[in-house]
């Protein structure tokens, strides 16, 4: 599994939400910060995170994770 990288997360966000203005410093972004990041957008974001990092979120985690910070915490916990 890869280590967490804000640069990688930024790239994934830009791929999933191409019309959104994603800042380089994306660590404080969360669902609802732009129109496309709704529940379906969040699901697609998390699917892309799973694929990129070769991880798997449980159904409960998918329903709870709604921010870049929460993704970071999850990935870093897996790497401990």
């Amino acid at each position: 599994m890869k280590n967490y990288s804000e640069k990688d997360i930024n790239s994934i966000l830009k791929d999933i939400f191409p019309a959104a203005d994603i800042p380089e410093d994306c660590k404080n972004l969360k669902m609802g910060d732009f129109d496309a990041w709704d529940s379906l957008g969040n699901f697609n974001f998390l699917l892309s995170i799973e694929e990129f990092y070769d991880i798997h979120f449980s159904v409960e985690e998918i329903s709870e994770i709604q921010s870049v910070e929460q993704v970071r915490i999850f990935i870093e916990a897996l790497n401990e």
Side-chain angles (χ1 to χ4, degrees), residues 31-60:
M31 188 167 77
D33 280 349
F34 38 90
D35 290 340
W37 197 347
D38 55 11
S39 58
L40 180 58
N42 194 59
F43 183 73
N44 290 329
F45 172 56
L46 294 178
L47 287 177
S48 293
I49 295 292
E50 284 183 328
E51 184 177 334
F52 183 84
Y53 285 96
D54 193 26
I55 60 175
H56 181 72
F57 296 113
S58 70
V59 173
E60 183 178 317

Side-chain angles (χ1 to χ4, degrees), residues 7 16 25 27 31 51 55-56 60-61 63 67:
K7 183 178 178 182
I16 298 299
D25 180 7
K27 65 184 171 214
M31 188 167 77
E51 184 177 334
I55 60 175
H56 181 72
E60 183 178 317
E61 290 162 340
S63 68
S67 69

Side-chain angles (χ1 to χ4, degrees), residues 2-14 26 45 49 52-53:
K2 299 174 186 172
N3 289 324
Y4 175 85
S5 163
E6 189 173 336
K7 183 178 178 182
D8 292 332
I9 298 296
N10 189 285
S11 179
I12 292 168
L13 284 166
K14 287 180 179 181
C26 65
F45 172 56
I49 295 292
F52 183 84
Y53 285 96

